[in-house]
Amino acid sequence: MRNKPLIRKRLSICIGMSFMLTTSHLNAQTPSDSASVAVSLQSYDLDIAAQPLNRALIELAAVTGIQILYTTTDTADINAPALIGEFSVEQALNTLLRNADMTFRRTAENTITLEVRPAISAESRNSYFVLDAITVSASTVDQDESTTIFQVTPSVTRSGVPIEDMSRSVQVYNANFIEDFQPVDLAEVITMTSNVAFFGKNSVSRRPLFLGRGFFTPILKDGASGDYASYETYNMERIEVLKGPDSINFGVAEPGGLINLVSKKPKAERHGEVIIDYNSNPGYTLKTDFGGPTQDGGALKYRIVGVYGDNDSFKDFSNSEEKFFIAPSLSYEFNENHTLTVWAEHLDLETYLLSGFVIGSDGRLPVPSDTIVGHPDNMMKNKQTAYGIDLNSTFGSWVTSLKYKHDSFKTNLGDGLAPFNYVEPVNAVVRISGRFNSTEEVDMIIFTANNAFELAGVTHRLSIGLDYRERQTKDYNLTFDFAGAAFLSLDNPVYETTIPTTPVVPDTIFSPSRQKGVFIQDHITLYEDIILSMGLRYTDFSPSDSNLAPAGDDTSEVTPQIGVLYKLNPSVSVYANYAESFNPVTARDINGEQLDPTTGEGFEIGLKYNYNDFLNISTSVFDISKVNVPQLDPADPLGQASISSGEQVSQGFELDIIGDITENWSVVASYGFLDTEDKDRMSAVTEFGGFPKHSANLHTTYRLSGFGLPDVRVGGGARYLGTMFADTSDANTIKTEAVLVLNASMSYDYGPWSATLSVKNLTDKEYFTNAKGTIPIFVQVGEPRTAYLTVKYDFL
């Protein structure tokens, strides 16, 4: 396991052959007097050559006159780097122990004891802080061992730098939490993050949309951008959420941040499970996940994840949702320096067209939430295929990742009736008939190289990379028939026996859009406890055009990022960062000139606290601004020209907690405060819609070992959504009510069997997972009280 930098405190040293066993750590020690503090801060002029660690420790003790206690077998066969220059004792030990999995603490006035860092318990099935190793990572070759959230190198960035050393806010949710939480969909997990909200689904592709700190937040898959109509949560090894502007890693982006979904890939040990989920809607889902090496210690590993589901909605649709998903992957380790992984995913999904629900001017639903405001026969089919090849290599001190990825998804919506307008005085909906067909194909090549080296006595972690992305829309046909508008009374809804046929029109032909970019980033370790990060990216973007709209101009942009992190001790760090994002636009002004790209910039100051290596607490304040947002030009009588709006500002505070309070007690919690302002718009909007000013989340699981029931776990949680403006383009007049949604669960393990019973929305609250739009407002309604039963069998 990789070492972590250690704490700055009062140190006393001696060298010996014994080992003093203790559970306390240096960061728990408090200097008893000013003399102790002086010893801690004293610097020494050292000239110790690179050599075996045992000898280096002897020389350090001889120069400083401080004693070190340790067991020689713990330091055998470990080499220490050179120490040349001014060092405090703490700085010297941090450097010497860089290659040793050891920590140190003061045990007497003039004595320091070295200890082997405790290994992460293998019995961490329900730990929310421990991450199981997978063979392949997005930007590095992982060790086949467990690590912690604090130490993981997230692939949402491409630097290969662990979270503990990053001057950014990153939250990670592991497979244990996802299993305990029993999420209905991906949005339930992602919105556990402070100041991240679900914004509904794209109106035609049904892709989930999220807002981070008030702005849109793109979704990556395995550290690569792409387009998916649906994401299978069961196939996630972990979910990473980075907040704030970030165009340095992947180019075009909004300033809300990035979401990265890390898929399950082959593991070093054999494993296998079968799961059946039941729900009270009703419905069921079958799942399986198995794999491992093809032979003991073999270089060839495989993994297969499969899902089949048949589930009804709490709304009264005529058909159920049917899903089939399979994800095979195969990795081959040529040697310790090169690993090749080939993977694929396929999804067939027939699901409901949830166009959204209308709300009245009082911010409430005009009828019960199970009412359908479109048509019970509205169904759409998605067929989604993705495959890729990942080559992860090391060349000396360089760690490289070469990735090719292809995404393809087809969406087919036959004739359907979707709500278009809400007539509140008569409580009725005007619906229009329409159909939609589309095929999206995306090809990507991504190369990243990371290297750690010392230059002039300073440690650098350098990252360079380039990427190419081409997106092609084919067979696109979106048709509405306003002449065939249908009226539906919500007081007494009577649906058509046959949905009107929408007239056939020719497909829209699109050219591909292309993005290519290159970046360089460096994390520089100064004085052992200060890490400076700097980076630049150049991106060139060529937009798509169609036979109905002229092509936009190519756009290129240079986006910087800079940050600094200061480690007060091994457990506590403070950081600050500045980052930018950009998003090209194709809108044109009244003179036919293309508008400038939308750009964002963000400032953030935060604190990270790693408690006892099993609980991570992070908090931050931020200020994000976004400019050059296109809006219609009121001076254009045809309503086609656009102008750039003024500044959109988002400021707030965040608190995120994730990990294990005790061996039996795990928790995920967050609180977010967001204050937004839309400046210089021509409408009366002053705040962003669809995002609560206050939000909070909690989920916790407790194993009843202390009560003699080690195989029983109980869990519970709550989600608080404060009031929010539902109208995003008008005058901030419609506000939804605050709501508190409660959940509960209980699990029992019996040998290879386990069962979990969970209930979502215990008190059966009526609430909205998002609210957006002009008048009328369309919202997505949260699930009413629903029970879930999950039974799992481990067969390997």
Side-chain angles (χ1 to χ4, degrees):
M1 184 181 301
R2 188 181 52 76
N3 266 354
K4 296 197 297 182
L6 298 172
I7 192 166
R8 173 170 306 207
K9 285 283 184 180
R10 171 187 180 238
L11 303 178
S12 335
I13 302 187
C14 106
I15 291 191
M17 304 284 292
S18 64
F19 178 80
M20 184 174 295
L21 181 62
T22 178
T23 57
S24 60
H25 296 278
L26 183 61
N27 61 347
Q29 304 296 322
T30 303
S32 58
D33 51 40
S34 59
S36 299
V37 177
V39 171
S40 175
L41 298 179
Q42 183 177 352
S43 295
Y44 300 87
D45 187 9
L46 301 178
D47 187 3
I48 300 176
Q51 58 187 308
L53 178 58
N54 284 332
R55 296 178 186 174
L57 291 171
I58 293 172
E59 288 192 31
L60 177 64
V63 172
T64 61
I66 303 174
Q67 301 180 15
I68 303 174
L69 292 176
Y70 65 97
T71 301
T72 53
T73 54
D74 292 337
T75 57
D77 301 322
I78 297 176
N79 293 320
L83 280 178
I84 301 174
E86 292 285 331
F87 291 85
S88 69
V89 174
E90 178 267 348
Q91 291 172 339
L93 281 174
N94 277 338
T95 302
L96 293 180
L97 297 177
R98 183 177 300 162
N99 300 322
D101 196 15
M102 303 183 75
T103 185
F104 60 90
R105 62 188 183 87
R106 176 172 62 85
T107 53
E109 182 66 22
N110 203 41
T111 304
I112 281 184
T113 297
L114 305 188
E115 298 172 343
V116 176
R117 191 183 303 278
I120 297 173
S121 172
E123 199 171 304
S124 58
R125 174 175 180 180
N126 291 97
S127 171
Y128 293 173
F129 200 69
V130 176
L131 295 161
D132 290 336
I134 54 177
T135 299
V136 177
S137 174
S139 58
T140 63
V141 179
D142 280 349
Q143 299 290 328
D144 285 328
E145 60 182 17
S146 295
T147 186
T148 70
I149 287 174
F150 207 55
Q151 296 170 319
V152 72
T153 57
S155 51
V156 71
T157 66
R158 296 164 65 179
S159 63
V161 173
I163 289 175
E164 62 178 323
D165 291 346
M166 293 175 57
S167 54
R168 301 298 303 266
S169 175
V170 181
Q171 303 302 315
V172 177
Y173 304 99
N174 67 8
N176 292 329
F177 167 70
I178 296 173
E179 180 179 344
D180 280 350
F181 190 42
Q182 294 287 301
V184 176
D185 53 25
L186 184 68
E188 268 206 284
V189 179
I190 292 175
T191 54
M192 289 295 292
T193 311
S194 62
N195 280 330
V196 175
F198 178 56
F199 198 63
K201 295 186 177 182
N202 181 283
S203 57
V204 288
S205 71
R206 311 311 298 154
R207 186 180 306 117
L209 305 174
F210 295 92
L211 298 174
R213 295 176 175 175
F215 300 104
F216 280 108
T217 304
I219 298 177
L220 309 177
K221 188 76 158 38
D222 295 318
S225 58
D227 288 309
Y228 289 74
S230 180
Y231 299 92
E232 177 50 56
T233 309
Y234 180 65
N235 193 40
M236 304 304 161
E237 191 71 43
R238 66 178 186 262
I239 296 172
E240 306 167 345
V241 182
L242 180 149
K243 290 181 284 188
D246 190 287
S247 277
I248 192 169
N249 290 293
F250 300 99
V252 172
E254 288 284 317
L258 296 171
I259 296 166
N260 183 52
L261 312 176
V262 181
S263 303
K264 293 178 177 177
K265 293 296 190 296
K267 299 201 295 185
E269 71 276 3
R270 292 182 179 177
H271 62 96
E273 65 182 29
V274 175
I275 297 174
I276 183 165
D277 291 331
Y278 296 95
N279 68 75
S280 59
N281 277 326
Y284 70 92
T285 303
L286 295 171
K287 307 173 185 176
T288 187
D289 174 12
F290 60 92
T294 55
Q295 57 183 358
D296 291 340
L300 184 64
K301 304 177 182 69
Y302 74 99
R303 191 166 190 172
I304 297 176
V305 179
V307 178
Y308 175 78
D310 191 328
N311 294 276
D312 286 342
S313 169
F314 68 90
K315 291 179 176 289
D316 191 19
F317 281 95
S318 300
N319 302 297
S320 61
E321 178 184 272
E322 189 170 3
K323 172 171 63 177
F324 171 75
F325 172 86
I326 189 167
S329 57
L330 194 68
S331 72
Y332 183 73
E333 187 176 348
F334 294 98
N335 51 49
E336 62 182 8
N337 294 323
H338 304 286
T339 300
L340 180 72
T341 298
V342 181
W343 62 270
E345 291 183 8
H346 179 77
L347 171 72
D348 274 336
L349 176 67
E350 184 173 8
T351 187
Y352 329 104
L353 178 63
L354 295 174
S355 308
F357 209 98
V358 293
I359 61 173
S361 55
D362 59 357
R364 298 180 180 180
L365 297 181
V367 287
S369 61
D370 59 356
T371 305
I372 294 175
V373 295
H375 195 282
D377 292 337
N378 283 348
M379 300 290 288
M380 66 189 312
K381 297 179 180 179
N382 292 320
K383 184 167 290 194
Q384 183 172 293
T385 302
Y387 56 83
I389 301 175
D390 301 340
L391 177 62
N392 292 269
S393 303
T394 57
F395 299 94
S397 60
W398 286 97
V399 178
T400 68
S401 170
L402 179 61
K403 182 190 299 285
Y404 168 73
K405 182 168 177 270
H406 175 84
D407 297 334
S408 172
F409 74 86
K410 299 180 180 180
T411 301
N412 174 262
L413 169 65
D415 290 319
L417 281 168
F420 173 72
N421 196 11
Y422 174 52
V423 186
E424 187 169 3
V426 294
N427 196 26
V429 175
V430 177
R431 298 161 300 149
I432 56 173
S433 63
R435 68 157 62 95
F436 174 69
N437 294 282
S438 176
T439 300
E440 302 282 349
E441 294 186 352
V442 183
D443 290 278
M444 286 159 284
I445 299 176
I446 301 172
F447 174 76
T448 308
N450 296 317
N451 191 9
F453 59 92
E454 289 196 9
L455 182 64
V458 176
T459 300
H460 296 259
R461 283 173 287 186
L462 182 68
S463 302
I464 58 176
L466 53 89
D467 47 74
Y468 175 82
R469 179 178 187 267
E470 180 175 296
R471 182 177 187 267
Q472 174 75 70
T473 302
K474 301 178 179 179
D475 306 321
Y476 185 92
N477 191 302
L478 175 61
T479 310
F480 292 111
D481 183 15
F482 289 93
F487 191 83
L488 178 70
S489 170
L490 296 183
D491 293 326
N492 183 28
V494 178
Y495 302 99
E496 297 79 0
T497 55
T498 303
I499 297 177
T501 300
T502 305
V504 177
V505 299
D507 291 348
T508 303
I509 308 300
F510 290 90
S511 67
S513 65
R514 298 180 175 91
Q515 175 186 286
K516 48 185 177 290
V518 59
F519 81 94
I520 182 169
Q521 191 170 18
D522 194 9
H523 285 71
I524 306 168
T525 302
L526 306 172
Y527 309 109
E528 296 300 322
D529 48 18
I530 298 177
I531 301 175
L532 176 67
S533 64
M534 297 182 294
L536 283 175
R537 178 188 172 96
Y538 171 79
T539 304
D540 184 81
F541 180 79
S542 301
S544 172
D545 68 347
S546 74
N547 58 326
L548 301 180
D553 301 329
D554 289 2
T555 303
S556 60
E557 194 81 12
V558 175
T559 48
Q561 180 272 330
I562 186 169
V564 62
L565 179 140
Y566 176 53
K567 297 193 174 186
L568 301 175
N569 57 52
S571 298
V572 182
S573 302
V574 293
Y575 69 89
N577 71 65
Y578 170 81
E580 294 185 4
S581 66
F582 91 105
N583 196 354
V585 299
T586 57
R588 296 182 180 272
D589 64 20
I590 200 167
N591 298 315
E593 297 294 326
Q594 184 168 310
L595 300 182
D596 292 334
T598 298
T599 59
E601 63 175 10
F603 299 87
E604 180 179 350
I605 299 173
L607 180 145
K608 300 179 181 181
Y609 178 39
N610 171 26
Y611 175 72
N612 201 29
D613 275 345
F614 278 100
L615 185 69
N616 189 42
I617 302 173
S618 60
T619 184
S620 63
V621 293
F622 59 87
D623 187 326
I624 301 175
S625 60
K626 177 181 173 182
V627 297
N628 298 333
V629 181
Q631 62 176 317
L632 291 177
D633 186 350
D636 179 15
L638 300 178
Q640 296 179 345
S642 299
I643 60 173
S644 294
S645 75
E647 186 179 24
Q648 296 180 355
V649 178
S650 169
Q651 299 173 327
F653 167 81
E654 296 170 343
L655 173 67
D656 290 272
I657 302 172
I658 186 167
D660 309 318
I661 297 175
T662 68
E663 183 179 354
N664 296 311
W665 187 9
S666 298
V667 65
V668 172
S670 68
Y671 166 74
F673 167 76
L674 189 70
D675 185 29
T676 61
E677 184 178 3
D678 202 346
K679 299 181 177 179
D680 301 329
R681 282 185 64 100
M682 288 169 293
S683 70
V685 168
T686 57
E687 293 186 28
F688 300 176
F691 208 113
K693 186 175 291 257
H694 298 273
S695 58
N697 297 281
L698 171 68
H699 179 79
T700 183
T701 301
Y702 187 77
R703 184 186 295 275
L704 301 180
S705 297
F707 299 89
L709 299 170
D711 297 321
V712 178
R713 303 187 309 276
V714 293
R719 185 184 301 274
Y720 173 77
L721 297 173
T723 60
M724 59 182 168
F725 287 112
D727 43 336
T728 57
S729 302
D730 290 274
N732 283 160
T733 56
I734 300 178
K735 181 181 284 190
T736 64
E737 295 181 346
V739 65
L740 180 67
V741 181
L742 303 177
N743 306 315
S745 67
M746 176 175 287
S747 301
Y748 177 67
D749 301 329
Y750 183 75
W753 293 89
S754 65
T756 300
L757 176 64
S758 60
V759 181
K760 303 283 187 180
N761 195 358
L762 272 171
T763 56
D764 204 22
K765 289 282 188 180
E766 183 179 274
Y767 69 102
F768 314 133
T769 57
N770 74 295
K772 60 179 180 177
T774 57
I775 304 297
I777 309 301
F778 290 101
V779 300
Q780 295 292 338
V781 181
E783 271 204 328
R785 181 169 48 234
T786 308
Y788 295 84
L789 175 63
T790 298
V791 179
K792 183 171 77 168
Y793 176 70
D794 292 318
F795 59 84
L796 285 179

